[in-house]
């Protein structure tokens, strides 16, 4: 079927056939032919990400480093959640810009932490920046995923330190890379490691608001409510419009039994991000915990309208609120859904 016979452009199956053929050609080393084939999709907006990515792979195979970087950056502009493009960009930057490489590998691992090569890449970048403890953590992760990984043991014996970063923008980028690594550790439940990374960031950049926010939330989980409140208030003082810090402070107030203060922070967060389903859901669940079940119901409904993909605890709280309101049939539906989600996890 020709393009002219397809209303609105090429058929998706035709596009997929071209992309599959290009991938096969790259695998066979037919780089020029693959590049020509991908050129036929230059006017297809839907293929912008994958085409740029594949052209980056071709440039990388040709050792055209600068061109490959540009292609991978274009792929990431089209889709910032392309973990492989982040990692390939990191590999290209590793020798000349270890700070940027660390940021790229950290971004890749934030999206998918199952690739041992990416852990080794991040470890190598951290080693070159003098962060041997962070390098060891990632090498251990690589070996846990692949015990016979050929590079992990080799890297464990290498150290190289950079006392000063050459450019001011590299300092900011390094803090962002460390923040991504700390946040990933925090999400994985590695609280002590995450705390150590956040502390390191704050020694370099005391006003890194996102770090103050996440560190404040972490301190609450670790049971230090006073430290949590201080960190979160500092984050809000730096950026009053940082909704996640408002939400985290609300949760800290809740944990300390300060319901009026919690309400105020939840409401401010919702004013700042009215379309944030997580903020609505958090406030709804907080109101249910406070016993304000009637007030919580509209917020539960609003959160669902924004995003139905809420976790099991959300639907369990909704079920409890509906039960307290005497709406047993609706409560049963919510509680069954919560149970199904919990079982699926």
């Amino acid at each position: 079927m020709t393009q002219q016979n397809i209303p609105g452009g090429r058929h998706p199956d035709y596009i997929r056939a071209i992309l599959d053929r290009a991938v096969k050609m790259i695998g066979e080393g037919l780089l020029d032919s693959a590049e020509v084939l991908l050129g036929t999709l230059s006017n297809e907006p839907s293929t912008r990400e994958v085409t740029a990515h594949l052209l980056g792979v071709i440039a990388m195979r040709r050792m055209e480093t600068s061109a490959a970087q540009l292609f991978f950056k274009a792929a990431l502009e089209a889709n910032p959640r392309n973990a492989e493009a982040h990692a390939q960009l990191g590999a290209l930057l590793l020798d000349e810009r270890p700070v940027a490489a660390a940021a790229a590998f950290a971004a890749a691992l934030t999206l998918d932490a199952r690739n041992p090569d990416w852990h080794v890449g991040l470890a190598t970048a951290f080693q070159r920046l003098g962060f041997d403890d962070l390098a060891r953590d990632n090498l251990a992760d690589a070996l846990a995923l692949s015990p016979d990984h050929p590079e992990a043991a080799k890297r464990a014996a290498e150290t190289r330190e950079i006392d000063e970063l050459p450019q001011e923008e590299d300092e900011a980028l390094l803090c962002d890379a460390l923040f991504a690594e700390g946040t990933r550790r925090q999400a994985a439940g590695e609280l002590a490691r995450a705390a150590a990374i956040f502390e390191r960031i704050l020694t370099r950049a005391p006003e890194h608001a996102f770090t103050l926010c996440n560190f404040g939330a972490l301190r609450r989980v670790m049971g230090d409510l006073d430290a949590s409140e201080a960190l979160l208030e500092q984050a809000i003082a730096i950026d009053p419009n940082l909704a996640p810090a408002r939400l985290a402070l609300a949760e800290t107030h809740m944990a300390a039994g300060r319901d009026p203060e919690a309400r105020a922070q939840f409401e401010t967060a919702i004013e700042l991000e009215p379309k944030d389903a997580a903020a609505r859901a958090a406030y709804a669940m907080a109101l249910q915990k406070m016993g304000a079940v009637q007030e919580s119901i509209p917020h539960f409904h609003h959160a669902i309208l924004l995003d139905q993909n809420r976790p099991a605890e959300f639907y369990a709280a909704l079920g409890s609120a509906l039960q307290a309101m005497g709406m047993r049939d609706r409560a049963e539906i919510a509680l069954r859904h919560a149970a199904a989600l919990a079982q699926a996890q």
Side-chain angles (χ1 to χ4, degrees), residues 242-244 246-247 264-274 276 279:
L242 188 59
R246 298 278 184 179
L247 287 173
Q265 293 299 331
F266 277 124
E267 289 168 4
T268 301
I270 289 171
E271 287 174 10
L272 290 170
E273 299 288 349
D276 185 354

Side-chain angles (χ1 to χ4, degrees), residues 2 9 19 23 38 48 53 55 60 92 102 110 112 142 192 210 236 245 267 306 308 310 314 343:
T2 65
L19 293 174
V23 170
L38 290 170
R48 181 186 168 202
H53 192 142
L55 289 171
M60 190 166 61
L92 291 169
T110 296
D112 185 355
F210 288 103
I236 291 169
E267 289 168 4
L306 290 168
Q308 293 184 16
R310 309 309 309 162
F314 171 84
Q343 186 174 9

Side-chain angles (χ1 to χ4, degrees), residues 94-302:
L94 194 54
D95 290 334
E96 294 185 2
R97 291 197 63 200
V99 173
F105 280 119
L109 289 168
T110 296
L111 295 165
D112 185 355
R114 297 169 298 177
N115 189 310
D117 291 340
W118 301 352
H119 284 284
V120 172
L122 182 56
T124 304
F126 278 147
Q127 281 179 328
R128 293 178 182 180
L129 295 167
F131 300 131
D132 288 340
D133 55 337
L134 302 183
R136 283 194 298 271
D137 288 343
N138 276 282
L139 290 172
D141 291 338
L143 290 169
L145 291 165
S146 177
D148 298 322
H149 196 282
E151 286 293 314
K154 174 185 173 184
R155 295 296 181 192
E158 296 179 358
T159 59
R160 176 180 162 192
E161 295 190 9
I162 295 178
D163 294 328
E164 293 184 6
L165 298 174
Q167 300 177 12
E168 184 177 347
E169 58 264 29
D170 275 352
E171 180 68 40
L173 187 58
L174 175 61
C175 288
D176 290 344
L178 291 171
F179 173 74
E181 177 71 354
T183 300
R184 183 171 67 85
R185 299 290 179 184
Q186 182 179 12
E190 301 174 25
L191 304 188
R193 285 180 176 176
I197 294 171
F198 291 148
E199 286 173 347
R200 181 171 287 172
I201 295 168
L202 293 175
T203 62
R204 309 182 76 101
E207 295 192 346
H208 198 278
F210 288 103
T211 297
L212 290 164
C213 174
N214 282 26
F215 199 14
L218 178 60
R219 284 300 190 197
R220 181 185 68 250
V221 174
M222 297 176 80
D224 192 343
L225 298 184
D226 290 340
S228 174
E229 183 179 2
L231 288 163
L232 292 167
E233 286 182 345
Q234 190 178 347
I236 291 169
I238 293 166
D239 185 356
N241 295 326
L242 188 59
R246 298 278 184 179
L247 287 173
L249 183 56
E251 297 285 0
T252 296
H253 284 317
M254 281 280 296
R258 297 188 290 265
D259 291 355
E261 291 89 340
R263 279 175 173 263
Q265 293 299 331
F266 277 124
E267 289 168 4
T268 301
I270 289 171
E271 287 174 10
L272 290 170
E273 299 288 349
K275 293 185 178 180
D276 185 354
R280 288 279 182 179
Y283 193 25
M285 295 168 69
L287 289 169
Q288 186 267 331
K289 287 180 184 177
M290 294 176 192
V293 291
Q294 186 169 358
E295 190 180 351
S296 74
I297 298 298
H299 291 284
F300 276 114
H301 289 166
H302 202 146

